[in-house]
Amino acid sequence: MTALRKRSSCPSQLCPALCALGLVVLGGLSWAVPMDEQDYYLQEISNRDHYYSFPYPGEEYFSFTEQPKEEGTIRASEPEEHPGFKPSRKELKPKKSSKKGKAILEPPPDCPPLGLETLKITDFQLHASTAKRYGLGAHRGRLNIQAGVNENDFYDGAWCAGRNDPFQWIEVDARRLTKFTGVITQGRNSLWSSNWVTSFRVLVSNDSHAWTAVRNESGDVIFEGNSEKEIPVLNMLPVPLVARYIRINPRSWYEEGSICMRLEILGCPLPDPNNYYHRRNEMTTTDNLDFKHHNYKEMRQLMKTVNKMCPNITRIYNIGKSHQGLKLYAVEISDNPGEHEVGEPEFRYIAGAHGNEVLGRELILLLMQFMCQEYLAGNPRIVHLIEDTRIHLLPSVNPDGYDKAYKAGSELGGWSLGRWTQDGIDINNNFPDLNSLLWESEDQKKSKRKVPNHHIPIPDWYLSENATVAVETRAIIAWMEKIPFVLGGNLQGGELVVAYPYDMVRSLWKTQDYTPTPDDHVFRWLAYSYASTHRLMTDARRRACHTEDFQKEDGTVNGASWHTVAGSINDFSYLHTNCFELSIYVGCDKYPHESELPEEWENNRESLIVFMEQVHRGIKGIVKDTHGRGIPNAIISVEGVNHDIRTGADGDYWRLLNPGEYLVSVKAEGYTTATKNCEVGYDMGATLCDFTISKTNLARIKEIMRKFGKQPISLSLRRLRQRARQWRQRR
């Protein structure tokens, strides 16, 4: 009895073990609960990485304005308040008034985002008190994350707490001492529901056990949250705090919704040479480039600087104006800028069709600097590319939209501010729908109106002044028709994938369906050439940006199988011109912080160059007549590929093809058809495949009759007199 009494008098030793056993048992039982009702608190706790259980370098430097203490305001033993709990007005932090629905703009923070949006912060670094279901877990609480159309159990648009009470939290583990300076919040991205947090507290810790709330003279600071679900709101901490963990504790939420948040944390990681995790994920660049965001004036000045550094290989020109009158500037890079050289292919990169997708704009500006510097340094790869290719770089198709996003800043524009033109048009999908014209013609074989499989004319309705067409779109079309582009890439943002045409499904009853072009194998190779050389696109370990995992196709996707779009720039370019165009989504974050640009450049640099080099894959040549003159508008056909191209004004052509042997034919009005075998090798460099064709007999007769006023000159004088005598006898 004495021994038993002594054993029962040591609950402090037994309780931790019993609690752990209880968690395991309850964790197993929790899986029997239906998914929609299951409380994920136990799952979060059991899956959590307890970093605090290991020695952490520099822990003794942990400091606050007051000593850390065990947080006592959020305890399980405290009675729960009403789900509609709201703090009093006195609790709310005083802020300058702002218009409803507008983000509260603060002075630019000194510290950059930690990287919830860019995925630098991994799913393992995010934890929460509870979650409604897995698809609304802490790993989904990232700024600007987008929900799937179905908002399912795997991909939803925020972290949502499993219960609505003021004891819920979401936590970020920075994995090193960090100077936290601010928090940016959003509500839940959803088509079907409205959920956001209207006020919250911020707590910090160095071991995830002892928490200290952000305080001021009157007590814990209650920060003002969101007034709707999409516009980000920035709250700066009164005083920067150094810690490893930061926790957001919602205090009130939208009355007709529930606790749901997306967020980003602003902070500066402190130097720590002993932190292996940080060193392993560090990315630096040796390129001496201007890594910053450039407004319109600064972009123009940068172009001038590049042109001044490399005047012999660069030229600045504009293709038109935006709705607000801003010129759409482009930079040409070539050994003979300003003129098309016969036999030299033309390539283009464009960016900023969606004004808020800023990363592509900056990558093009970095690319033009890099190519100029490397050319001057004698880099043989860049020198060869510039001497054999005419390159056009158009960094900002929609400068009006960019201006809106730029004024809001890299983290406060939300998902769509600046996406459209000044008159509300999405440039990327504002081109003529030529797919429907082609497919209707193919389906109705007996139709009198035959549509060619290439260079399909633009419909008359689209050319009318009343058509809903952006001035920027018309400028791009005129540019595409003027220059014989062979290959192009339009840089976009918000995902990490290369999309190739068709972008529109052929079936009227589907919204997603693989819809290949006749050149599907070529497009798939072009897409893979970019994706495979990108640092992250084909990395099977990386997390999906939002809802789509493109790893099964190696970082590429057929546009129509992703989501159908009518009138895309890719489809229009393929069906109206010779140019093969692809959409390149260069990053999960549309508008990354300036500090992220060096790493994003390293991610994309090799891919940008490799993709340009693909313009030299396939066959090329000149179609001439028997006098050696180039024949414009001749049709080049490849057996087995139901898509033709045409020669340029000088009779030269470029036909992108994968390695193999092809039967190629050329025909032109008034000329005989010629055919030959052309073999494409695996080495870089297009195969030369020239044609010389002669005029048909009928064409020669017509030419003679036009030249001599319809009087034949081959008849002798005797035969002419004989015909005249016969004519008189008939009279």
Side-chain angles (χ1 to χ4, degrees), residues 657-668:
L657 292 168
N658 285 342
E661 189 172 330
Y662 299 92
L663 190 64
V664 183
S665 301
V666 60
K667 60 182 178 181

Side-chain angles (χ1 to χ4, degrees), residues 85 87-95 198-202 214-216 219-225 235 249-252:
F85 167 83
S88 64
R89 291 186 179 180
K90 292 182 180 179
E91 283 187 275
L92 293 173
K93 177 187 173 185
K95 296 177 72 75
T198 56
S199 69
F200 58 90
R201 292 193 309 161
V202 176
V214 174
R215 301 173 64 87
N216 58 19
D220 292 357
V221 176
I222 304 297
F223 294 93
E224 186 176 336
N235 280 281
N249 165 221
R251 303 298 290 174
S252 64

Side-chain angles (χ1 to χ4, degrees), residues 330-542:
V331 168
E332 175 192 342
I333 303 179
S334 171
D335 58 342
N336 286 297
E339 67 175 276
H340 170 72
E341 297 181 68
V342 177
E344 187 171 282
E346 310 238 5
F347 176 92
R348 69 167 179 256
Y349 271 134
I350 68 174
H354 297 149
N356 64 331
E357 294 172 7
V358 176
L359 179 55
R361 169 193 176 109
E362 294 304 328
L363 287 176
I364 288 183
L365 294 177
L366 291 168
L367 180 63
M368 64 178 67
Q369 298 173 63
F370 176 79
M371 296 194 71
C372 173
Q373 291 180 7
E374 294 300 300
Y375 183 85
L376 295 177
N379 183 329
R381 182 185 185 189
I382 300 302
V383 171
H384 178 73
L385 184 61
I386 291 175
E387 289 180 348
D388 292 347
T389 320
R390 191 181 181 202
I391 302 166
H392 303 260
L393 306 177
L394 178 61
S396 188
V397 176
N398 181 10
D400 299 347
Y402 172 81
D403 188 55
K404 294 179 183 178
Y406 181 82
K407 289 177 180 177
S410 63
E411 308 304 319
L412 298 178
W415 188 250
S416 59
L417 180 65
R419 175 185 177 92
W420 299 280
T421 63
Q422 185 65 26
D423 48 349
I425 296 175
D426 185 337
I427 295 177
N428 196 54
N429 309 324
N430 191 222
F431 292 82
D433 173 15
L434 304 182
N435 304 57
S436 298
L437 296 178
L438 174 64
W439 294 335
E440 287 174 8
S441 175
E442 291 177 348
D443 293 340
Q444 301 173 4
K445 296 182 179 180
K446 295 182 179 180
S447 174
K448 295 181 179 179
R449 183 182 180 183
K450 296 296 181 182
V451 176
N453 64 11
H454 69 291
H455 282 250
I456 300 175
I458 297 175
D460 292 338
W461 65 264
Y462 186 89
L463 300 173
S464 68
E465 294 182 1
N466 297 327
T468 307
V469 182
V471 293
E472 296 89 345
T473 308
R474 295 192 188 278
I476 295 171
I477 291 176
W479 185 49
M480 294 166 72
E481 292 177 334
K482 180 180 179 181
I483 298 175
F485 291 112
V486 179
L487 178 62
N490 58 86
L491 306 188
Q492 301 189 45
E495 263 297 352
L496 262 178
V497 68
V498 182
Y500 54 90
Y502 288 123
D503 290 330
M504 180 180 175
V505 297
R506 186 159 186 165
S507 172
L508 297 176
W509 313 109
K510 295 181 179 180
T511 58
Q512 292 177 308
D513 189 32
Y514 195 100
T515 310
T517 66
D519 285 288
D520 189 57
H521 287 86
V522 177
F523 274 114
R524 289 169 63 183
W525 166 257
L526 293 171
Y528 184 71
S529 71
Y530 193 101
S532 62
T533 50
H534 189 279
R535 284 187 63 252
L536 299 175
M537 277 190 191
T538 55
D539 186 352
R541 299 168 298 173
R542 76 170 181 88

Side-chain angles (χ1 to χ4, degrees), residues 266-281:
L266 306 182
C268 296
L270 299 186
D272 183 0
N274 297 319
N275 192 319
Y276 168 74
Y277 173 81
H278 174 67
R279 296 199 314 273
R280 183 185 63 181
N281 290 277

Side-chain angles (χ1 to χ4, degrees), residues 4 20 32 89 117 120 127 146 239 248 317 328 457 472 488:
L4 180 60
R89 291 186 179 180
E117 184 175 8
K120 271 192 169 183
H127 306 284
Q146 301 297 293
V239 177
I248 309 301
Y317 67 100
L328 308 180
E472 296 89 345

